[in-house]
Amino acid sequence: MKVLVTGGTGYIGSHTVLCLLQAGHDVVVVDNLVNSSRESLNRVQELAGRNVVFAHTDLLDEAALTAVFDQHAVGAVIHFAGLKAVGESVQQPLRYYHNNVTGTINLLRVMDAHDVRTLVFSSSATVYGGNNAVPYVEKMDIGADNPYGRTKEQIEDILSDIGAADSRWHIALLRYFNPVGAHESGRIGEDPLGIPNNLVPFIAQVAVGRREKLMIFGGDYDTPDGTCLRDYIHVMDLSEGHVAAVDYVASRAGVFRWNLGSGIGSSVFDVLHAFERAVGHTLPSELAPRRDGDLPAFWADPSAALADLSWSTSKSLDEMCQDHWRWQKNNPNGYAAP
Ligand code: NAD
Ligand code: UDP
């Protein structure tokens, strides 16, 4: 099948493009490179030994998107493209709603006009908000706590309405937990702009000497070691989940929701120590006040994805950190030239 991947030069997108190519699919990537590099696809092509079509296109440009669909016989879409920084979304909500929600509406209109109605959407565990108890289950009411999360929630609502109104749509809503790690080759990985907000990219930059020390946000939570618990998932496991989801919905109409997580809660210290094992020495860190908005614990109940997609995670926290470290060590400046 020819799969069009929006956001395919980004972190999760590039790993998923590789998995799609290895599974025998043809791929067309649409990305405006606002948060990624074209170099990621060069490396994906080199790893897969196959070529990808790249369209340097913004989802906000409906005419340009139409031209891409006119040129390629697309069978399904995996939609990663979006802005994803929670703090930035609080500062720039209009930009986030326009990019993520309007961009998705444009995509859906162009898909519909071209009779392409199979879609896998990157949602997020953040849609569950703070009012649910762990582990999170797909049937829980959702209610995101910030503008970024609300763009995901609104897109889920739009897709649910479309699926209810028109039985020709085949839609998967994938709620990811905390993706980390990199392809085991160390050739592709996460390349955050500026100072990373997320734990593992920050630790990786401490390990490579770009940051002085890790600040551990809060050591007094009601958790086993006092730090927050999260459900970390290897980006390759996550990518395989997308291939399983697109294959599943390709032959089934309706709207399906799946958590993609490991079902295991790991603390900040668990992650730090796993990363230290990967690097081979301790890393500088310091306890700091809690970060606003952090929930003490969240992890997935991933049993629906296992039952429906025969998918579950296979890689441990140690493997996530080893692979993340290999990528960071071999590419201290990400995709930028040294
Ligand atoms: P990323 O920033 O690396 O990838 C997103 C890609 O979308 C980038 O390549 C960016 O250039 C592109 N893009 C953004 N707006 C666009 C537009 N208007 N037109 C075309 N391209 C556009 O992010 P990622 O970590 O790979 O995340 C992929 C998706 O998964 C995002 O939708 C994100 O919200 C979601 N998600 C990510 C995480 C995470 O922790 N990384 C967790 C849950 C959900
Ligand atoms: N965290 C931390 N220091 C950092 C970044 C994150 O202690 O520099 C903690 C954060 O408070 C949370 C966990 O690491 O408890 C995971 O944070 P991340 O931002 O990666 O994921 P999220 O909280 O968005 O799930």
Side-chain angles (χ1 to χ4, degrees):
M1 183 163 51
K2 186 167 284 191
V3 182
L4 184 141
V5 180
T6 77
T9 53
Y11 172 43
I12 308 168
S14 56
H15 289 79
T16 303
V17 170
L18 177 58
C19 290
L20 287 165
L21 293 172
Q22 288 174 336
H25 296 293
D26 296 321
V27 178
V28 177
V29 167
V30 168
D31 202 302
N32 65 358
L33 302 180
V34 69
N35 194 39
S36 54
S37 163
R38 175 75 179 77
E39 174 62 13
S40 64
L41 283 192
N42 295 337
R43 298 191 185 185
V44 165
Q45 292 183 142
E46 165 198 303
L47 288 168
R50 293 186 55 200
N51 288 337
V52 173
V53 175
F54 176 62
H56 187 180
T57 302
D58 194 318
L59 293 188
L60 295 175
D61 183 347
E62 199 172 327
L65 196 57
T66 298
V68 176
F69 276 79
D70 285 346
Q71 277 168 33
H72 301 283
V74 173
V77 174
I78 303 183
H79 177 31
F80 292 103
L83 299 172
K84 63 166 184 176
V86 172
E88 193 179 64
S89 79
V90 175
Q91 305 299 323
Q92 304 172 24
L94 186 55
R95 179 174 170 232
Y96 268 67
Y97 286 112
H98 187 46
N99 189 76
N100 292 4
V101 181
T102 312
T104 301
I105 291 172
N106 287 348
L107 174 67
L108 294 168
R109 283 162 52 87
V110 175
M111 286 176 65
D112 199 37
H114 289 82
D115 285 325
V116 180
R117 297 189 187 82
T118 299
L119 176 73
V120 174
F121 171 61
S122 294
S123 188
S124 168
T126 193
V127 298
Y128 287 111
N131 291 327
N132 284 303
V134 284
Y136 294 153
V137 188
E138 290 85 347
K139 66 175 190 291
M140 286 173 166
D141 287 339
I142 60 174
D145 296 324
N146 55 67
Y148 162 71
R150 280 190 281 275
T151 68
K152 296 293 182 191
E153 193 181 338
Q154 290 180 5
I155 295 166
E156 284 206 11
D157 286 345
I158 291 167
L159 293 172
S160 300
D161 289 343
I162 289 173
D166 184 343
S167 60
R168 293 173 301 170
W169 283 85
H170 302 222
I171 296 172
L173 310 178
L174 302 184
R175 295 176 180 163
Y176 319 156
F177 284 69
N178 291 53
V180 298
H183 185 258
E184 63 183 10
S185 64
R187 295 290 292 154
I188 56 173
E190 186 170 14
D191 185 13
L193 278 180
I195 302 174
N197 290 314
N198 296 113
L199 180 63
V200 172
F202 197 99
I203 297 176
Q205 292 197 1
V206 172
V208 84
R210 277 172 70 179
R211 312 275 160 214
E212 188 194 340
K213 61 185 164 195
L214 172 71
M215 305 305 285
I216 298 170
F217 299 142
D220 57 352
Y221 287 97
D222 184 15
T223 58
D225 67 16
T227 66
C228 294
L229 301 170
R230 296 286 182 274
D231 185 335
Y232 297 92
I233 170 173
H234 196 294
V235 66
M236 292 307 295
D237 279 335
L238 183 60
S239 297
E240 295 293 355
H242 287 73
V243 178
V246 81
D247 287 345
Y248 184 96
V249 292
S251 59
R252 290 170 189 84
V255 180
F256 303 89
R257 290 166 191 77
W258 291 294
N259 287 337
L260 295 184
S262 67
I264 299 166
S266 301
S267 75
V268 177
F269 282 120
D270 291 335
V271 176
L272 177 61
H273 295 148
F275 214 96
E276 289 174 337
R277 283 193 291 279
V279 177
H281 57 79
T282 58
L283 296 168
S285 66
E286 185 177 306
L287 272 176
R290 292 179 176 197
R291 183 173 70 175
D292 277 353
D294 269 345
L295 297 174
F298 67 78
W299 62 85
D301 174 344
S303 51
L306 177 63
D308 296 339
L309 305 176
S310 303
W311 173 92
S312 61
T313 60
S314 65
K315 291 178 184 281
S316 66
L317 186 59
D318 276 299
E319 288 170 282
M320 297 178 213
C321 292
Q322 286 158 14
D323 290 342
H324 206 107
W325 174 230
R326 188 177 305 107
W327 152 254
Q328 182 72 75
K329 189 177 45 168
N330 294 349
N331 306 269
N333 299 308
Y335 290 113

